Amino acid sequence: MPRRRHHHPRRLKTAGQIGTPTMLAKQEIISEVVRTNHGATKVWEVAKSPASLHLWHPGITSSKLENYVREVVMEGGAVIFERITATDDSNRSYSYAYVDGPLAMSNFTSTFTVNPCGPDASEVSWSAQFDKDDSSAETAALVEHMYRAGLTGLQDYLDTVLGTVHSGEVR
């Protein structure tokens, strides 16, 4: 299948799951991925600090980090607290767990990773998993929207900070 240019993140889909987040027996799994035409090292320098989220995510008005807990203030005033559980500069990745906020989620964990795709390209993935319950489909849709908006915002920010080079190729 030929590649096409697109300026929005894509969601990974598996056979039989087209159009819905992947569901395992007891876990909801969401994964958003975007390809940029910026090198992984440069992208990681921009996005590696969990406290910098507000710089590039359009739905977030502020974010700060204290004692490994990130406080995120959303547009509209909702506040989310997340505990940073791992950071790995060599693999350009960090993970966190949802601690408190407006969404009712159990065992929510998320990972943000920047992978190289050559010297001047990278793939940014943002994935999450949490326990399924009666509201998991609605919660999954909200998280999926937040990740997609965030990755689109990151692309725009990268193009502004690093220069426009037609980011967002979707495979």
Side-chain angles (χ1 to χ4, degrees):
M1 179 175 237
R3 291 182 172 192
R4 63 178 189 189
R5 290 261 188 237
H6 197 278
H7 191 69
H8 297 286
R10 65 177 169 84
R11 190 171 88 207
L12 297 177
K13 297 179 174 96
T14 59
Q17 300 294 324
I18 305 301
T20 62
T22 304
M23 290 188 184
L24 298 178
K26 295 183 180 186
Q27 291 275 295
E28 189 85 43
I29 298 174
I30 297 163
S31 184
E32 294 289 330
V33 178
V34 67
R35 182 159 182 168
T36 74
N37 289 329
H38 300 286
T41 300
K42 290 180 179 179
V43 173
W44 183 242
E45 284 302 313
V46 169
K48 73 178 178 180
S49 171
S52 71
L53 195 60
H54 68 284
L55 297 175
W56 49 266
H57 196 300
I60 295 174
T61 59
S62 71
S63 56
K64 63 183 180 180
L65 186 66
E66 188 173 323
N67 296 323
Y68 300 101
V69 175
R70 176 168 63 183
E71 178 183 298
V72 177
V73 179
M74 309 294 295
E75 282 185 339
V79 180
I80 296 171
F81 294 94
E82 301 161 330
R83 177 167 300 285
I84 306 304
T85 57
T87 56
D88 185 345
D89 276 334
S90 63
N91 288 313
R92 293 174 295 281
S93 179
Y94 69 84
S95 298
Y96 59 94
Y98 182 83
V99 175
D100 193 23
L103 298 175
M105 295 186 288
S106 297
N107 297 314
F108 180 98
T109 59
S110 183
T111 300
F112 181 90
T113 305
V114 179
N115 289 307
C117 296
D120 295 319
S122 60
E123 190 172 85
V124 182
S125 68
W126 202 350
S127 61
Q129 65 182 44
F130 57 95
D131 290 349
K132 287 196 318 186
D133 63 20
D134 292 341
S135 64
S136 63
E138 180 180 325
T139 301
L142 288 170
V143 171
E144 182 179 74
H145 172 76
M146 287 298 299
Y147 286 8
R148 189 175 299 129
L151 291 176
T152 299
L154 178 59
Q155 281 183 313
D156 292 343
Y157 187 78
L158 290 167
D159 288 347
T160 299
V161 174
L162 302 176
T164 303
V165 289
H166 308 291
S167 292
E169 184 174 316
V170 175
R171 289 186 285 146

